[in-house]
Amino acid sequence: MTKRAGGCLIVVLLTLFAISSCGGDDCICEPGEPGEQVFVIQFQDGMYPNVDYDMCADAQLLEGLPSSNYGDWPCLSVGNTGAGDSRAIVFFDIAGALPAGADVRKAVITLYVEDYYGDCDVAFSVFLLSSSWFEPEVTWNNRMGGVTWSAPGGDYSATAVATMSISEEGFPIDISLPASMIDGWLASNENNMGLILIPGSGVPGECGLVITSSDNIYILRRPRLTVHYAMP
């Protein structure tokens, strides 16, 4: 996957550690229950588990431009452009990354808020995507070339896995995710279609936040998934 260098430029149109024994240079350990240690593994394009990791995909879906693809943009918008929703989708491939029998304790996705537009609080929810998609072709209408979503704007679970409200910029946000979700992804890669960030119904027009994507030149601002797990 080719990455696009550049800072964030969001134009509101129409009005995303190698497994090693504890003690290694890249290993993070935390205290756990008595007699156990909790390990931490992270996923971030160009950084974790190693600098060769390039298995995060993300894109922006614009209701106002339903046939346009934004899979290579350095930033993603979540909010209301004044012509409808702007949503962000993100995927981390974690297949085979944790040892067999790993007991996932918690998971966190970290997103860097580069900017926000409109004088408002931006509330949004995170849902599990339920259909596969292809980053270079995904749009509001299509999940890949010639294949539509079941409903425009993405196919996703009925229940949110997290909710947030943001009104500032220039800092990372941590979104806690259910450990059971990661368990499902590890059980079968077919369960992992990624996540979608959807603005709340009360977000007014021309109001939203801008997060850096996996294509951003600033590697440490790219989406990051952190998983904490223990071994039996």
Side-chain angles (χ1 to χ4, degrees), residues 118-189:
D119 186 15
C120 64
D121 291 345
V122 183
F124 66 92
S125 296
V126 182
F127 296 84
L128 283 170
L129 283 164
S130 55
S131 296
S132 61
W133 48 282
F134 186 42
E135 185 182 51
E137 298 175 349
V138 66
T139 68
W140 180 271
N141 284 339
N142 291 350
R143 57 190 183 91
M144 56 186 70
V147 181
T148 61
W149 298 103
S150 297
D155 302 334
Y156 52 92
S157 60
T159 304
V161 297
T163 58
M164 294 286 290
S165 182
I166 305 297
S167 60
E168 299 180 74
E169 63 188 64
F171 63 95
I173 57 172
D174 290 334
I175 304 173
S176 295
L177 302 172
S180 59
M181 185 195 79
I182 302 298
D183 286 334
W185 289 0
L186 292 171
S188 172
N189 203 40

Side-chain angles (χ1 to χ4, degrees), residues 5-182:
C8 291
L9 175 61
I10 293 293
V11 179
V12 181
L13 298 171
L14 300 182
T15 310
L16 206 115
F17 297 137
I19 296 294
S20 60
S21 60
C22 187
D25 291 341
D26 295 326
C27 178
I28 299 178
C29 300
E30 295 181 342
E33 297 297 326
E36 74 172 9
Q37 286 183 309
V38 176
F39 299 86
V40 180
I41 184 168
Q42 296 182 308
F43 304 88
Q44 185 179 48
D45 266 17
M47 181 58 66
Y48 304 116
N50 54 62
V51 296
D52 295 323
Y53 181 79
D54 190 24
M55 300 300 288
C56 175
D58 46 38
Q60 176 174 282
L61 309 180
L62 279 181
E63 187 175 12
L65 290 172
S67 299
S68 297
N69 171 260
Y70 300 95
D72 64 349
W73 276 39
C75 288
L76 311 170
S77 173
V78 179
N80 189 318
T81 65
D85 277 1
S86 179
R87 301 176 177 180
I89 54 178
V90 60
F91 167 87
F92 294 91
D93 188 341
I94 64 172
L98 273 67
D103 179 10
V104 177
R105 297 301 176 82
K106 69 175 181 178
V108 176
I109 184 172
T110 301
L111 304 173
Y112 189 87
V113 180
E114 183 75 17
D115 196 4
Y116 78 99
Y117 52 94
D119 186 15
C120 64
D121 291 345
V122 183
F124 66 92
S125 296
V126 182
F127 296 84
L128 283 170
L129 283 164
S130 55
S131 296
S132 61
W133 48 282
F134 186 42
E135 185 182 51
E137 298 175 349
V138 66
T139 68
W140 180 271
N141 284 339
N142 291 350
R143 57 190 183 91
M144 56 186 70
V147 181
T148 61
W149 298 103
S150 297
D155 302 334
Y156 52 92
S157 60
T159 304
V161 297
T163 58
M164 294 286 290
S165 182
I166 305 297
S167 60
E168 299 180 74
E169 63 188 64
F171 63 95
I173 57 172
D174 290 334
I175 304 173
S176 295
L177 302 172
S180 59
M181 185 195 79
I182 302 298

